[in-house]
Amino acid sequence: MHERLPGFRDFYPEDCAKRNFLFRVWSDAARCHGFHEYDIPTLEPLNLFTEKSGPEIVSQLFNFTDKGGREVALRPELTPSLARMVGAKVASLPKPLKWFNIAENFRYEKPQEGRLRSHYQLNCDIFGEPGPGADAELIATAIASIRSFGPTEKDFVVRLSDRTLWMLFLASLGHEGEAALGVLGVIDKLERLPREQALERLTPYFGDAREDFFAQVETILSLRDAPSLATFFLGHAPNADLRAKIEGRLAEWTTLLENLRAMGLGPFIRVDLGIVRGLAYYTGFVFEIFKLDADGTLSGRALAGGGRYDHLIGKLGFPETPAVGFGMGDVTMTQFLEERGCLPKMIEKPDVFVVLGGGEARTLGLAAVGALRSAGIRTEYPLREVGFGKQFRLAGQSGARLALIVGENEAARHQIRVKDLTSGGEVGIFASHAVEAIRAFLDEGIPPTDSPS
Ligand code: HAM
């Protein structure tokens, strides 16, 4: 017996209908915010990811050598490919550029709750605008991509953080470049690491001062608004140069939060410097979206994550171009929406079920099936000759609104009997007028008082 690979999913029709619903609402939200759809290849040169995504994703790549001897990988994310695509035409593309895509990504992770080896992501990205207005626009789009299904600020929260502020703080402690990125890597894991292990990982950077640093981190993680960020970070600025840089950054925080509040999105935002993001290319504001339990606590794995990555296009060899984007995953979103009762039951039903007699009747009935389908009316019929009793049972089970009956008597008179399967009402129509008549019955139904013709 054959089985699926671990971490992959089969989508039976009901799952597919759910997935399509998710994609439809996502793309409506993206378009409504002015994003245009693009697409990229599933398979890419391996070095696009080994050089640009960072070690965490590289350890999860599905990679192999193709028949032409090229080292290739299934895309684990879209961002490096998108950066290449935008970079190649950056001079001629209008800015700000707002693009979106919904696509499958592959990561060789340990399959677990909320994490699979194949998942779909909505990606929205904005290029060409360095200021916090673009970050606000992007976060607003991410919020709308969840709110459009029904959840409110009681159900989910955007944890908003800032790698720039972290880097300025670490610079004030003497850590820059690779060392600062190493410390951020530990902070990224803090929520999942026991204290002792976190301290151990901080030792190479802080030695005996690791406990003091850890205590400062705990304070930073408890800061929940712009004024407390200002008090802490300005209070720890060791010189005028860093103080000026921190002041400049705090002004951008104020603009970002004011933009979001003006759009009515304040209640969805939580200042939370615990988010630093695992991917290597992020440079400024970063965020992750989490579901909230009834008591307001964060729960589960991230529904979405993103942030600013102003140097990625430049690192690919193209002109430096400011960029900000997010990815929202279908696995955690579907679980979340189901849990909150926000996914309608997806049942695909025909409009019409055609009940057919044998011989001439079947020929006339099939002609009606063809005409109805050409007119866009969803039409089903039994693929082989079966008795009327069974066909009526099938018509009922199909969920169709109307049954069309083409028996030998009807065929002899070029007529079709139409039964409203909800009201029980029946009428006779001429086969030549079937399409117009069926359209009207689908809109208005057939009253139960009508007697069969
Ligand atoms: P990411 O945080 O790696 O970001 O993924 C974004 C979202 O995709 C996650 O929050 C999660 O919902 C979903 N996701 C990621 N990995 C898996 C998995 N193995 N199984 C199920 N769901 C998963 C990125 O990928 C960035 N490229 C996003 C971005 C776009 N940044 C800028 N633009």
Side-chain angles (χ1 to χ4, degrees):
M1 212 159 39
H2 288 286
E3 288 183 1
R4 283 192 316 265
L5 287 169
F8 286 80
R9 289 168 289 175
D10 290 324
F11 288 85
Y12 285 88
E14 204 179 321
D15 308 315
C16 230
K18 248 184 238 167
R19 193 181 71 185
N20 291 342
F21 174 71
L22 190 78
F23 291 179
R24 207 163 47 243
V25 175
W26 272 350
S27 57
D28 286 351
R31 283 182 216 283
C32 177
H33 286 71
F35 287 76
H36 300 275
E37 194 169 8
Y38 66 94
D39 208 0
I40 55 154
T42 310
L43 200 61
E44 289 280 12
L46 176 63
N47 66 0
L48 182 67
F49 305 113
T50 50
E51 289 165 19
K52 306 304 166 208
S53 291
E56 191 165 313
I57 279 204
V58 167
S59 67
Q60 299 167 347
L61 283 173
F62 274 90
N63 58 304
F64 57 95
T65 311
D66 78 3
K67 288 177 180 159
R70 296 174 202 90
E71 293 300 321
V72 294
L74 290 175
R75 61 184 176 214
E77 57 157 340
L78 298 193
T79 313
S81 314
L82 172 61
R84 178 198 60 210
M85 196 174 158
V86 172
K89 290 197 174 181
V90 74
S92 61
L93 289 168
K95 287 175 232 35
L97 195 67
K98 295 164 75 179
W99 281 6
F100 85 96
N101 171 275
I102 299 170
E104 190 173 10
N105 297 297
F106 305 88
R107 297 186 189 179
Y108 200 88
E109 296 201 47
K110 185 170 179 285
Q112 54 192 288
E113 180 75 11
R115 282 283 176 276
L116 297 175
R117 290 186 175 162
S118 143
H119 71 282
Y120 290 83
Q121 271 183 21
L122 163 69
N123 273 247
C124 292
D125 293 82
I126 304 178
F127 298 90
E129 172 49 55
D135 302 72
E137 172 76 341
L138 189 88
I139 293 170
T141 310
I143 293 172
S145 305
I146 301 180
R147 258 177 121 183
S148 305
F149 294 93
T152 69
E153 70 271 19
K154 293 197 174 63
D155 296 297
F156 72 97
V157 70
V158 180
R159 302 172 70 191
L160 179 59
S161 178
D162 185 4
R163 281 175 80 112
T164 304
L165 217 40
W166 269 114
M167 292 302 261
L168 289 170
F169 178 61
L170 292 174
S172 75
L173 299 175
H175 292 299
E176 296 188 78
E178 286 301 311
L181 291 177
V183 178
L184 285 190
V186 183
I187 292 166
D188 183 44
K189 299 276 172 300
L190 230 44
E191 273 171 13
R192 278 164 269 154
L193 275 185
R195 183 187 154 88
E196 280 316 309
Q197 279 184 31
L199 287 172
E200 206 176 295
R201 292 198 194 182
L202 290 171
T203 309
Y205 307 101
F206 295 97
D208 290 344
R210 61 184 185 269
E211 298 258 2
D212 292 346
F213 177 72
F214 195 83
Q216 284 182 320
V217 170
E218 284 183 317
T219 307
I220 293 172
L221 299 195
S222 71
L223 306 173
R224 285 287 169 267
D225 53 31
S228 34
L229 291 181
T231 309
F232 180 89
F233 287 103
L234 291 174
H236 287 78
N239 57 49
D241 179 41
L242 270 173
R243 194 180 167 83
K245 285 184 179 151
I246 290 170
E247 274 170 350
R249 190 57 181 164
L250 290 168
E252 293 186 319
W253 264 94
T254 306
T255 310
L256 174 57
L257 292 174
E258 275 173 2
N259 272 240
L260 290 166
R261 271 189 217 115
M263 288 190 265
L265 302 176
F268 290 93
I269 309 295
R270 176 185 301 188
V271 173
D272 184 344
L273 268 68
I275 298 296
V276 290
R277 306 280 294 140
L279 294 158
Y281 45 69
Y282 290 110
T283 52
F285 288 116
V286 284
F287 65 93
E288 286 186 1
I289 305 185
F290 281 80
K291 71 176 178 184
L292 292 174
D293 282 340
D295 61 0
T297 51
L298 299 167
S299 89
R301 306 199 70 131
L303 300 172
R308 192 163 267 287
Y309 53 104
D310 284 346
H311 303 312
L312 184 56
I313 296 185
K315 280 190 183 150
L316 290 170
F318 302 108
E320 284 274 316
T321 308
V324 55
F326 74 83
M328 183 174 287
D330 74 314
V331 180
T332 40
M333 267 298 278
T334 307
Q335 277 171 1
F336 166 65
L337 294 173
E338 267 176 347
E339 191 187 297
R340 304 289 149 117
C342 295
L343 275 188
K345 199 144 179 56
M346 303 288 168
I347 303 166
E348 289 181 340
K349 302 174 185 171
D351 298 314
V352 167
F353 191 99
V354 184
V355 173
L356 299 165
E360 277 294 298
R362 193 166 173 93
T363 309
L364 180 70
L366 289 180
V369 167
L372 292 169
R373 285 177 169 172
S374 299
I377 295 169
R378 284 177 297 177
T379 307
E380 270 295 358
Y381 68 96
L383 296 183
R384 59 188 166 90
E385 290 190 20
V386 280
F388 278 109
K390 174 142 193 215
Q391 292 195 59
F392 277 113
R393 270 200 307 283
L394 290 173
Q397 286 161 7
S398 75
R401 176 84 197 277
L402 301 173
L404 266 59
I405 301 124
V406 192
E408 273 141 42
N409 291 342
E410 287 83 11
R413 285 179 278 146
H414 287 272
Q415 282 203 343
I416 294 175
R417 210 147 41 89
V418 188
K419 179 169 179 161
D420 184 324
L421 292 172
T422 312
S423 70
E426 275 187 41
V427 289
I429 58 168
F430 283 106
S432 52
H433 294 99
V435 169
E436 304 83 70
I438 297 301
R439 274 218 183 96
F441 295 145
L442 284 172
D443 280 348
E444 292 153 25
I446 303 171
T449 45
D450 278 358
S451 55
S453 58

